Amino acid sequence: MTCRVTLIPPAITSALREARFDDGSGELDAAAVRRARSVAALLPDADRSAASPSTRCRQTAEALGLPAPQASAPAALDVGRWRGRTLAEVTAAEPDAVASWLTDPAHAPHGGETVRALCDRAGAWLEDIARTPGRVTAVVEPDVVRALLVRALGLPEPVFWRLDVRPLTAVDLSGRAGRWNLRVGAPLGEEP
């Protein structure tokens, strides 16, 4: 049986605009809520919903009119001591650390989680939800979308940083445990 998963990154917040390492605890502003509500009618119906534990993901799911998540989706990458700082600030202070972090998925100079660990965690979640056929809509952090794509498609981990994920877009995966297909280019709300 096939499982279809629509991944939706949350509406934009000031932390996302500033490229700030955060924990997703910032709330959506009124414009972000309006934008999410404006695309809600375009979402395909789902049998189940999920959301990352961050405030912005939960608020986006609510603004999209999704039922209360039946499952928790993976949390964002833990960036340790870099939390609260912008990428520009960290790069200015620790250029070698940032360079190694962006090139080595097993390196975590911030003292938090590695990209590899995030990919493993996200991949395990995807395989778990695939055990139940049907359609799942999940509002997840942009880095979780990247990690899910790396694991679902068997991509090399350094590709993680080459995947651009825009707020309030749909990324569709279909398949079953161990074999996934990516559907690209569909406007939000278009049926398969």
Side-chain angles (χ1 to χ4, degrees), residues 28 36 49-51 55-67 69 139:
L28 299 183
S49 65
T55 300
R56 69 176 160 229
C57 285
R58 298 255 178 218
Q59 288 181 340
T60 298
E62 183 180 314
L64 289 170
L66 296 176
V139 179

Side-chain angles (χ1 to χ4, degrees), residues 19-24 56 75-87 90 94 101-102 107-115 118 121 143 146 160-161:
R20 181 174 301 281
F21 296 109
D22 76 336
D23 59 4
R56 69 176 160 229
L77 180 73
D78 176 0
V79 293
R81 62 185 172 79
W82 291 354
R83 186 172 296 112
R85 298 166 67 191
T86 66
L87 180 58
V90 174
E94 304 178 52
W101 181 60
L102 293 173
H107 192 64
H110 44 64
E113 182 179 32
T114 66
V115 167
L118 172 62
R121 192 164 47 84
D143 55 350
R146 288 187 202 104
F160 178 90
W161 296 111

Side-chain angles (χ1 to χ4, degrees), residues 16-183:
L16 290 173
R17 271 188 216 95
E18 298 167 357
R20 181 174 301 281
F21 296 109
D22 76 336
D23 59 4
S25 61
E27 296 195 5
L28 299 183
D29 62 23
V33 171
R34 277 193 305 277
R35 175 71 180 121
R37 286 181 179 154
S38 74
V39 299
L42 303 174
L43 289 175
D45 291 334
D47 303 310
R48 299 175 281 159
S49 65
S52 289
S54 69
T55 300
R56 69 176 160 229
C57 285
R58 298 255 178 218
Q59 288 181 340
T60 298
E62 183 180 314
L64 289 170
L66 296 176
Q70 292 87 12
S72 184
L77 180 73
D78 176 0
V79 293
R81 62 185 172 79
W82 291 354
R83 186 172 296 112
R85 298 166 67 191
T86 66
L87 180 58
E89 291 167 348
V90 174
T91 301
E94 304 178 52
D96 293 339
V98 172
S100 69
W101 181 60
L102 293 173
T103 57
D104 183 355
H107 192 64
H110 44 64
E113 182 179 32
T114 66
V115 167
R116 177 169 293 151
L118 172 62
C119 290
D120 289 345
R121 192 164 47 84
W125 175 81
L126 185 61
E127 296 305 309
D128 185 53
I129 65 165
R131 290 187 179 100
T132 304
R135 184 179 287 276
V136 178
T137 299
V139 179
V140 295
E141 296 292 344
D143 55 350
V144 172
V145 174
R146 288 187 202 104
L148 286 165
L149 291 174
V150 165
R151 284 297 180 258
L153 300 176
L155 300 172
E157 291 166 346
V159 170
F160 178 90
W161 296 111
R162 308 279 314 266
L163 301 170
D164 290 331
V165 180
R166 297 180 61 200
L168 291 177
T169 56
V171 175
D172 292 313
L173 293 170
S174 65
R176 55 188 85 31
R179 186 178 187 292
W180 292 94
N181 297 312
L182 171 64
R183 183 173 181 228

